[in-house]
């Protein structure tokens, strides 16, 4: 840390160092959970370089590596195996393909506590040394973020969380899904391509995010869904039960964010897409745009130099590439991830004009770029700029 570079000038800026939470966080009683959250809320310090990954036990790191190996390695293994058998032993596909189908289609609990109340949330936070920066002075709706107040008084819905950038996969955003209940009192549906929920291996990793279709009707329906505060008997839902409704999360740069991302660069590829901004205006949404610093440092991707795989990925709406991380495998590098947020509350407009949509686009994304320049030194990237394309 640079001398004298504390956050004293911004007393409402808090760093939630989730990597310091106990492994059994989700099995603790609610009071103990809030004590644990309070213990990891600290004043952020300006850094001249990214944090070193935090210490993990051998067992914790082995579990994380195994988890990532299954999530990314199993799909590659099954693909290579299928192509190999097709080429040299096609008869063996009679028993191979049913096995692949079973791995792709066997039931997973949709909203059971196993999904978002599992210790893997803490282990992933430790693996990536995840820190959430919370600026409680940035918006009145965010004044109680990360405090017990949000349990009984969650932030006003509807909420749209924008997780930037996509990278190979935004693990900081996955950690957010595990812990948003303790940040804002709400839990999201995640808009994305439904096929990821059927990819063997990868489906276990994305199970907690609860993927919904990314079409306009689905997004509006979930944003209009009342926040589920009580059960069927009218009893208040405990923190052990996911609280859904009124919130969606989405990675706005999509496939472009995979193929155009490069280590050492902070670039967000939005292009001419404006549909989501129109929906936000129509619903009067609270937009939480977040840049998860270090996401592009986790992997490098292997693709063709002519852009054919990117073109094919867009047509098939599924990403076709090989991610390379630690040891030349699909296990991501250990890097310290920091969430730098930018908040915007939309004024509800039944029929927003093109000018209003474009104005909101600038307020959200270019506002995120400016906010990142204010917060980047807390992530250890004092010279980086976030470029919006």
């Amino acid at each position: 840390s640079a001398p004298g570079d504390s956050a004293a000038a911004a007393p409402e800026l808090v760093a939630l160092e989730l990597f310091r939470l106990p492994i059994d966080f989700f099995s603790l009683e609610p009071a103990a959970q809030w004590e644990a959250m309070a213990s990891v809320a600290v004043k952020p310090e300006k850094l001249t370089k990214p944090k070193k990954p935090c210490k993990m036990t051998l067992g914790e790191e082995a579990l994380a590596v195994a988890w990532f190996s299954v999530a990314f390695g199993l799909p590659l293994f099954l693909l290579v195996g299928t192509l190999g058998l097709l080429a040299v032993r096609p008869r063996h596909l009679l028993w191979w393909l049913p096995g692949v189908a079973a791995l792709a289609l066997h039931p997973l609990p949709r909203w059971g506590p196993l999904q978002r109340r599992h210790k893997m949330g803490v282990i992933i936070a430790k693996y990536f040394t995840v820190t959430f920066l919370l600026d409680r002075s940035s918006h009145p709706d965010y004044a109680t973020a990360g405090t017990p107040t949000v349990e009984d008084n969650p932030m006003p819905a509807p909420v749209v969380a924008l997780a930037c950038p996509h990278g190979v996969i935004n693990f900081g955003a996955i950690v957010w899904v595990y812990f948003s209940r303790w940040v804002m009192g709400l839990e999201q549906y995640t808009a994305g391509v439904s096929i990821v929920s059927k990819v063997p291996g990868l489906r276990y990793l994305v199970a907690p995010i609860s993927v919904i279709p990314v079409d306009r009707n689905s997004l509006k329906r979930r944003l209009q869904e009342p926040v589920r505060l009580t059960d069927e008997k009218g009893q208040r839902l405990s923190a052990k039960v996911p609280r859904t409704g009124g919130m969606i999360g989405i990675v706005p740069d999509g496939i472009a964010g995979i193929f155009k991302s490069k280590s050492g660069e902070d670039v967000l590829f939005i292009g001419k897409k404006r549909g989501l901004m129109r929906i936000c205006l129509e619903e009067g949404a609270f937009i939480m745009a977040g840049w998860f610093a270090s996401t592009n440092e986790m992997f490098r991707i292997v693709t063709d130099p002519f852009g054919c795989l990117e073109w094919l990925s867009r047509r098939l709406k599924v990403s076709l590439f090989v991610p390379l991380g630690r040891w030349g495998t699909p296990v991501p590098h250990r890097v310290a991830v920091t969430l730098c947020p930018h908040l915007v509350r939309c004024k509800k407009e039944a029929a927003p004009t093109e000018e209003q949509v474009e104005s909101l686009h600038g307020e959200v994304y270019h506002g995120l770029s400016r906010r990142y320049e204010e917060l980047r030194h807390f992530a250890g990237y004092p010279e980086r700029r976030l470029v919006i394309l």
Side-chain angles (χ1 to χ4, degrees):
S1 303
D5 279 344
S6 72
E12 295 302 318
L13 186 63
V14 176
L16 280 183
E17 296 181 337
L18 298 177
F19 60 91
R20 296 199 292 114
L21 288 173
I23 289 294
D24 63 347
F25 174 81
F26 292 113
S27 63
L28 298 176
E29 291 301 314
Q33 289 178 333
W34 283 114
E35 288 178 6
M37 292 296 288
S39 71
V40 302
V42 300
K43 288 184 178 182
E45 294 184 344
K46 293 183 179 182
L47 307 172
T48 58
K49 58 183 178 180
K51 292 178 182 177
K52 292 183 179 179
C54 70
K55 292 183 178 180
M56 300 179 73
T57 67
L58 181 61
E60 290 168 354
E61 188 161 2
L63 182 56
V65 169
W67 191 257
F68 297 134
S69 297
V70 170
F72 294 110
L74 183 58
L76 294 174
F77 170 76
L78 294 176
L79 176 62
V80 172
T82 300
L83 294 176
L85 289 176
L86 183 63
V88 298
R89 293 287 191 276
R91 288 182 298 176
H92 291 348
L93 291 175
L94 293 175
W95 58 266
W96 176 268
L97 292 180
V100 173
L103 290 171
L105 300 175
H106 73 82
L108 292 176
R110 181 173 175 80
W111 285 114
L114 176 64
Q115 301 301 303
R116 294 189 177 182
R117 302 297 187 263
H118 194 276
K119 68 179 181 180
M120 279 309 303
V122 180
I123 289 178
I124 297 173
K126 288 181 177 291
Y127 189 90
F128 293 110
T129 316
V130 174
T131 299
F132 289 171
L133 295 178
L134 308 180
D135 187 354
R136 293 171 179 157
S137 63
S138 61
H139 194 282
D141 290 342
Y142 214 59
T144 59
T147 71
T149 301
V150 301
E151 182 60 27
D152 291 326
N153 297 285
M155 294 183 192
V159 175
V160 174
L162 303 178
C164 311
H166 192 298
V168 169
I169 189 167
N170 192 320
F171 283 105
I174 289 181
V175 172
W176 166 264
V177 169
Y178 280 94
F179 292 101
S180 71
R181 176 69 170 268
W182 288 269
V183 175
M184 56 185 305
L186 299 175
E187 300 186 58
Q188 72 183 46
Y189 298 98
T190 304
V193 182
S194 58
I195 190 64
V196 298
S197 300
K198 303 299 181 185
V199 177
L202 186 59
R203 63 196 302 244
Y204 306 131
L205 183 67
V206 303
I209 72 177
S210 186
V211 176
I212 62 169
V214 76
D215 63 273
R216 174 182 169 84
N217 289 337
S218 294
L219 299 183
K220 287 179 70 70
R221 183 168 63 252
R222 295 305 185 182
L223 289 173
Q224 294 169 4
E225 180 181 316
V227 178
R228 184 170 175 246
L229 299 175
T230 59
D231 61 19
E232 293 78 4
K233 297 180 180 179
Q235 300 295 316
R236 196 80 170 181
L237 290 177
S238 74
K240 296 184 182 298
V241 181
R243 175 186 285 171
T244 56
M247 180 178 178
I248 63 168
I250 191 168
V251 183
D253 49 345
I255 289 176
I258 301 175
F259 286 92
K260 298 185 184 301
S261 64
K262 293 181 181 179
S263 177
E265 296 183 0
D266 289 335
V267 181
L268 184 60
F269 296 88
I270 299 298
K272 298 181 179 180
K273 294 181 288 186
R274 301 292 186 270
L276 182 59
M277 295 296 98
R278 184 175 296 278
I279 290 173
C280 289
L281 284 168
E282 290 171 350
E283 299 300 328
F286 183 50
I287 301 176
M288 301 179 58
W291 183 263
F292 290 86
S294 295
T295 297
N296 287 339
E297 322 302 321
M298 297 176 184
F299 292 100
R300 70 180 181 88
I301 68 169
V302 177
T303 184
D304 67 288
F306 307 106
C308 296
L309 286 179
E310 181 179 357
W311 178 86
L312 188 59
S313 296
R314 291 180 182 277
R315 294 299 179 274
L316 298 178
K317 296 186 178 181
V318 60
S319 303
L320 303 173
F321 63 93
V322 177
L324 292 182
R326 297 172 73 179
W327 316 299
T329 71
V331 175
H333 292 289
R334 289 200 68 196
V335 293
V337 173
T338 301
L339 167 61
C340 301
H342 173 58
L343 313 177
V344 177
R345 170 65 75 177
C346 299
K347 180 181 178 181
K348 190 169 185 177
E349 299 285 351
T353 65
E354 295 298 328
E355 291 77 13
Q356 289 172 323
V357 171
E358 195 62 34
S359 175
L360 179 61
H361 173 86
E363 186 178 0
V364 170
Y365 293 113
H366 294 289
L368 176 61
S369 178
R370 292 189 295 271
R371 188 62 174 146
Y372 180 56
E373 291 192 16
E374 297 170 359
L375 299 176
R376 60 190 177 182
H377 39 260
F378 297 122
Y381 294 109
E383 305 300 325
R384 291 273 186 95
R385 291 183 62 246
L386 174 54
V387 179
I388 309 297
L389 298 177

